Amino acid sequence: DPNNLPCTQKPWCGEPRTDLLTQDYYTPNELFYVRNHLAVPDIDPEEYVLVVKGKGIKKHKFTLEDLKTKFPKHEVVSTLQCAGNRREDMHTIEHKLF
């Protein structure tokens, strides 16, 4: 995606171009920054199972399809900030940091 600038390949980290971030007060999901500190797992969607368990609660298993279809969807407006945001600004000649 040309709108998502890679910062690192392994693990994958990317961010949108600055000019796209200033077009709207809200950042759409497709322009949201991505920060990974470990490798992104390569899963088989047909075999993936999430197990939720803990002291005092009943153990539950959910397939990926369960997670997508069995729970109500909610839209939440929130603010997140990553210390690595705005790296694009640091790549210009005037602000060359690395």
Side-chain angles (χ1 to χ4, degrees), residues 2-81:
N3 293 324
N4 197 335
L5 305 173
C7 296
T8 61
Q9 292 296 326
K10 288 187 179 182
W12 167 253
C13 291
E15 60 196 37
R17 297 188 338 252
T18 305
D19 62 306
L20 296 174
L21 288 177
T22 58
Q23 291 180 357
D24 197 330
Y25 183 75
Y26 297 104
T27 303
N29 286 342
E30 61 272 10
L31 292 180
F32 210 77
Y33 69 87
V34 177
R35 292 291 181 263
N36 292 299
H37 297 283
L38 297 170
V40 177
D42 186 17
I43 65 164
D44 179 345
E46 299 300 317
E47 293 184 14
Y48 180 83
V49 176
L50 172 68
V51 178
V52 179
K53 62 182 181 176
K55 192 172 187 177
I57 64 169
K58 183 180 173 188
K59 180 177 175 180
H60 292 279
K61 293 182 180 182
F62 300 101
T63 65
L64 190 56
E65 187 64 21
D66 290 339
L67 296 174
K68 291 179 178 182
T69 60
K70 289 189 174 183
F71 300 95
K73 294 181 180 183
H74 299 278
E75 188 170 306
V76 178
V77 175
S78 62
T79 300
L80 298 174
Q81 173 67 35

